[in-house]
Amino acid sequence: MNWRFDHLAFNCAEGEGLQQAFADLLGLQPGRRPPFPFPGRWLYQDQQALVHIIEQADGSEPQLSHIAFSTQRPAAEVLQQVQASGLAHQVAQVPEDGIWQIFVRLPGGLVLELDAPAAGELAISHAYTEQGGAPS
């Protein structure tokens, strides 16, 4: 399965300062963001949204939320591989874009977002589940 780096995501209380820092240092510019049900910003280099900022009122200092990779393999195949790993995971879908997001909690707490194209339906889960579907 071929993967490519997609983006980094950060949680913070207010994203303007982080957005400005990425603009000043790397030249990233704000751009289109799907209508997620929570506030945030996407920062682009050319056509690629390299940094996602998730604004959470309870946050203080910016913290890494997750690292994302994408593939052209069908989401069902990716999910099958994740389930076989036994790692805790949750599944979501990008509003309007149809991309499936499989968030995998690695040992030590780091979260990977694995993005794959929609090919059929997957069950959306808002809580991380272990192998076999038991909530963690």
Side-chain angles (χ1 to χ4, degrees):
M1 194 172 300
N2 292 328
W3 294 98
R4 72 172 182 82
F5 171 78
D6 195 87
H7 67 270
L8 294 174
F10 297 90
N11 295 331
C12 65
E14 198 288 309
E16 188 172 335
L18 194 55
Q19 176 180 315
Q20 190 61 51
F22 277 107
D24 293 346
L25 294 171
L26 303 179
L28 301 185
Q29 296 299 311
R32 180 193 170 275
R33 181 179 177 268
F36 288 103
F38 50 85
R41 305 156 188 256
W42 280 15
L43 307 178
Y44 285 76
Q45 177 180 20
D46 300 321
Q47 300 299 313
Q48 179 70 36
L50 293 177
V51 174
H52 296 182
I53 299 172
I54 303 164
E55 295 176 322
Q56 299 178 327
D58 60 351
S60 56
E61 296 295 318
Q63 294 183 340
L64 179 66
S65 170
H66 59 267
I67 301 170
F69 293 88
S70 62
T71 184
Q72 290 303 308
R73 300 293 299 252
E77 288 181 24
V78 176
L79 181 59
Q80 185 176 32
Q81 183 177 356
V82 169
Q83 289 170 331
S85 76
L87 295 169
H89 61 280
Q90 69 182 40
V91 178
Q93 194 169 30
V94 177
E96 295 180 352
D97 290 355
I99 299 295
W100 285 101
Q101 303 167 296
I102 303 167
F103 294 90
V104 182
R105 189 174 303 280
L106 300 178
L110 180 63
V111 175
L112 288 183
E113 174 186 326
L114 305 178
D115 295 341
E121 290 295 315
L122 300 179
I124 293 175
S125 62
H126 296 286
Y128 280 92
T129 56
E130 303 290 342
Q131 185 177 15
S136 60

